[in-house]
Amino acid sequence: MEVTREDVLRCAELARLQLTEAEIPALQRDMSRILDHAQSLLELDLEGVEPTLHGLDLPLPRREDEARATFTQAEALAQAPEAAQGHFVVPKVL
Amino acid sequence: MAWATPNSMREGLAAGDLSAEGLVQAGLARIQRLDGRLEAVLSTDAPRSLEQARIADARLAGGERGPVLGLPVVLKDNLHWKGTPCTSGSRILAGYRAPYDATVVARLLQAGAVPLAKANMDEFAMGSSGEFSAFGPARNPWDTARVPGGSSSGSAVSVAAGYAPFALGSDTGGSVRLPASFCNLTALRPTYGVLSRYGVTAMASSLDQVGPIARTAEDVAALLGVMAGADPLDATSVDLPRQEALWPLRAATLKGLRVGLPREYFGEGLEAGVREAIEGALQRFKDAGAELVEVDLPHTRYAIDAYYLVCTSEVSSNLSRFDGLRYGLSERVEGQTLAELMALTRNAGFGAEAKRRILLGTFCLSKGHYDAFYLKALKVRTLIRQDFLKAFEQVDVLATPVSPTVAFPLGAKLDDPLAMHLADVYAVGAPLAGLPALAFPAGFSAGLPVGMQLMGPALSDVRLLELVQAFQERTDYHLRTPEL
């Protein structure tokens, strides 16, 4: 499976990774090799096979919807790279 | 003291010959002496550890006894212990401190265990050797030119080098079993759901499990017993049947036990010395009355590919939380946009393997590739699971090598991600199928430890420990320690 330079850049944009030019060829090569190896799955007839999404098939437990104490605003902001007036500061988006 | 067993430590604590505080001091001194060479530990917090030790000593003085009360435990650095660093082996979390306790840590503290250190690991638990840690690789105490196995590298080394009798790791595709195998330890990947993941930094959520590491099945059982059980904070957690039988653990009879040997796990690629050791260990089971039965797990050859497609897809989603806005690394430059801040931070903060997996996962989940890769892998996962279910109609447990090789030299697979992935070939089956797998010492090949694993049906965790306890009553591999 040939992963192109454009594939790598498109995925990097979607994944919010600002790759350096030097990183791109190795990533392209490694992704191609790993996906090549995964072509083995194409041999299998998967018609009618249901996907397995979870490690263990058990009904999801339910609990009462009760309010309880969690982080305070100060705790939530304690490790913020930049905070002001009770908010996380981010670059202007508008 | 370094090689003292938990049993002798408990006796010493009960008799007043030892104190929890003294055990912490001895552990920290040993780290101080050896860790410059082994690099198993990312951080210690002596005041906090000593505070927990004094609490344990007070409980002991009041007559309380327990399986882990007063005993040191090393925690993998993806497990949150409130107030201490929790890097997950990544630069993107350098400086981050756990704002709360993981449920497994809270339960350990409640039982009186004393956290001694946070352990080195492959970044975000992605790796089979420990070499993908952003802070440098931990080394194998049996041969410091070799890897200890990953991703719970530092946790295993900490026990193998006698820093502490107990450690916690996590196992997504073999990450407690592989280092246990390379370092001559016993480690359990529990049935999916048996240990809460609340407060465990997520890698691949349909596969991640916390795993206890120690020298013996009895000691792994002691740890599991105080941590297992459904947690309201983790909707995927479940209760463990027969949890009360974990302490004290009693050996099960091996007589009449039907042990399945999957042909696919003994084929091409299995190193001769590993095969020989495993066959020797299997003979011990046979001598004790077990019946060895060859079985087939026909979809084994697809397991690695299915595993890496599922894993990387989940990685790309889970690691999207690291955005440079709320905690951790933040690469801020005047005039940058929000997207630029995130992209710059993430590229600076993640290492090579993390980027590779994020990009692969993004690729597999993107339009046009979802059906071809991710969905296909999930369907193959079903076939692999059915293989196991069918095998357990014929046999009680499955026995296999943990890894096709002994510990490999540092650097040997670092530039070949595919070769690194293939080290997990025997390890990924159990996680894909959600099954418990217990790795334990099974012999040596040219002086290096060889690990075997028993896999059982879902929620048979206690039984696996009882069976390996029986094996360890008949063997002494687990008693051997490296020269340091």
Side-chain angles (χ1 to χ4, degrees), chain B residues 45-102:
Chain B
D45 186 334
R48 216 176 283 264
S49 293
L50 289 167
E51 184 193 328
Q52 289 303 325
R54 284 191 282 268
I55 294 170
D57 281 329
R59 289 167 67 175
L60 284 157
E64 196 181 334
R65 302 289 178 261
V68 300
L69 180 58
L71 300 185
V73 56
V74 169
L75 304 172
K76 188 174 183 176
D77 211 28
N78 59 353
L79 303 171
H80 283 58
W81 176 25
K82 189 173 178 176
T84 67
C86 195
T87 66
S88 273
S90 179
R91 261 194 308 276
I92 209 163
L93 284 175
Y96 169 72
R97 280 176 184 266
Y100 59 92
D101 283 329

Side-chain angles (χ1 to χ4, degrees), chain B residues 366-415:
Chain B
S366 63
K367 193 161 170 264
H369 300 299
Y370 180 91
D371 287 352
F373 291 107
Y374 184 60
L375 191 61
K376 204 156 269 166
L378 293 178
K379 289 180 177 180
V380 175
R381 190 173 182 182
T382 303
L383 298 179
I384 288 164
R385 190 153 175 231
Q386 287 168 351
D387 283 354
F388 279 103
L389 296 180
K390 266 184 222 147
F392 289 129
E393 288 171 8
Q394 300 173 56
V395 296
D396 301 310
V397 292
L398 295 165
T400 80
V402 174
S403 163
T405 68
V406 292
F408 44 87
L410 283 153
K413 301 184 181 187
L414 200 49
D415 298 323

Side-chain angles (χ1 to χ4, degrees), chain B residues 222-470:
Chain B
L223 276 174
L224 184 66
V226 299
M227 297 186 300
D231 173 15
L233 299 174
D234 175 359
T236 62
S237 64
V238 295
D239 281 323
L240 176 63
R242 299 185 55 236
Q243 184 173 346
E244 70 289 346
L246 286 169
W247 186 259
L249 186 73
R250 304 211 180 283
T253 179
L254 298 177
K255 203 167 176 182
L257 180 75
R258 291 176 64 84
V259 179
L261 308 179
R263 285 186 189 88
E264 297 78 4
Y265 285 62
F266 290 88
E268 202 187 330
L270 178 59
E271 217 170 69
V274 174
R275 178 191 298 274
E276 211 172 293
I278 295 293
E279 282 171 356
L282 287 170
Q283 187 61 45
R284 308 301 280 269
F285 276 94
K286 209 173 164 186
D287 294 343
E291 189 188 340
L292 306 183
V293 186
E294 285 203 348
V295 296
D296 283 305
L297 297 173
H299 295 95
T300 297
R301 54 184 292 233
Y302 305 104
I304 275 284
D305 290 321
Y307 172 80
Y308 275 97
L309 296 183
V310 171
C311 175
T312 55
S313 298
E314 295 184 15
V315 162
S316 74
S317 163
N318 270 327
L319 267 58
S320 66
R321 80 191 63 212
F322 301 107
D323 55 14
L325 302 184
R326 295 159 299 155
Y327 50 82
L329 185 73
S330 186
E331 293 282 310
R332 295 189 178 221
V333 179
E334 192 60 39
Q336 73 191 152
T337 65
L338 181 62
E340 283 164 358
L341 191 168
M342 291 181 186
L344 198 63
T345 299
R346 287 163 62 79
N347 207 56
F350 290 133
E353 178 69 5
K355 287 181 202 176
R356 203 152 40 224
R357 291 202 197 190
I358 289 169
L359 289 171
L360 263 173
T362 305
F363 186 85
C364 292
L365 291 176
S366 63
K367 193 161 170 264
H369 300 299
Y370 180 91
D371 287 352
F373 291 107
Y374 184 60
L375 191 61
K376 204 156 269 166
L378 293 178
K379 289 180 177 180
V380 175
R381 190 173 182 182
T382 303
L383 298 179
I384 288 164
R385 190 153 175 231
Q386 287 168 351
D387 283 354
F388 279 103
L389 296 180
K390 266 184 222 147
F392 289 129
E393 288 171 8
Q394 300 173 56
V395 296
D396 301 310
V397 292
L398 295 165
T400 80
V402 174
S403 163
T405 68
V406 292
F408 44 87
L410 283 153
K413 301 184 181 187
L414 200 49
D415 298 323
D416 188 348
L418 195 56
M420 189 73 92
H421 291 180
L422 292 173
D424 298 338
V425 62
Y426 303 147
V428 296
L432 285 170
L435 304 176
L438 178 61
F440 56 99
F444 290 82
S445 168
L448 292 168
V450 172
M452 178 157 145
Q453 65 178 342
L454 286 190
M455 296 183 271
L459 300 172
S460 67
D461 307 51
V462 179
R463 173 122 172 101
L464 295 182
L465 288 159
E466 291 167 336
L467 293 170
V468 171
Q469 165 83 351

Side-chain angles (χ1 to χ4, degrees), chain B residues 165-187:
Chain B
F166 297 133
L168 291 190
S170 65
D171 187 309
T172 303
S175 283
V176 297
R177 289 165 289 149
L178 212 56
S181 164
F182 287 179
C183 296
N184 205 41
L185 302 171
T186 303

Side-chain angles (χ1 to χ4, degrees), chain A residues 1-4 7-20 23 26-27 29-61 63 68 71 75-83 88-93, chain B residues 95-100 191-192 206 232-233 235 238 299 301-302 304-306 309 324-328 330 332 336-344 346-347 350 355-356 358-360 362-364 366 369 373-383 385 415-418 421-422 432-434 458-459:
Chain A
M1 167 107 208
E2 169 83 21
V3 174
T4 65
D7 289 331
V8 175
L9 292 174
R10 186 177 52 90
C11 290
E13 193 188 346
L14 289 170
R16 295 282 186 271
L17 284 171
Q18 191 179 309
L19 299 175
T20 62
E23 292 176 291
L27 283 165
R29 183 198 64 213
D30 292 343
M31 287 171 71
S32 297
R33 281 191 66 210
I34 293 167
L35 291 173
D36 259 342
H37 199 269
Q39 297 292 311
S40 73
L41 301 188
L42 299 179
E43 301 164 17
L44 289 166
D45 178 9
L46 298 171
E47 191 66 36
V49 178
E50 289 295 315
T52 293
L53 286 156
H54 298 287
L56 191 61
D57 266 336
L58 288 173
L60 273 182
R63 60 167 170 79
R68 58 182 179 87
F71 281 170
E75 283 169 329
L77 290 169
Q79 303 198 44
E82 204 180 336
F88 294 101
V89 174
V90 303
K92 204 161 82 174
V93 286
Chain B
Y96 169 72
R97 280 176 184 266
Y100 59 92
T191 301
Y192 184 79
S206 80
L233 299 174
V238 295
H299 295 95
R301 54 184 292 233
Y302 305 104
I304 275 284
D305 290 321
L309 296 183
L325 302 184
R326 295 159 299 155
Y327 50 82
S330 186
R332 295 189 178 221
Q336 73 191 152
T337 65
L338 181 62
E340 283 164 358
L341 191 168
M342 291 181 186
L344 198 63
R346 287 163 62 79
N347 207 56
F350 290 133
K355 287 181 202 176
R356 203 152 40 224
I358 289 169
L359 289 171
L360 263 173
T362 305
F363 186 85
C364 292
S366 63
H369 300 299
F373 291 107
Y374 184 60
L375 191 61
K376 204 156 269 166
L378 293 178
K379 289 180 177 180
V380 175
R381 190 173 182 182
T382 303
L383 298 179
R385 190 153 175 231
D415 298 323
D416 188 348
L418 195 56
H421 291 180
L422 292 173
L432 285 170
L459 300 172

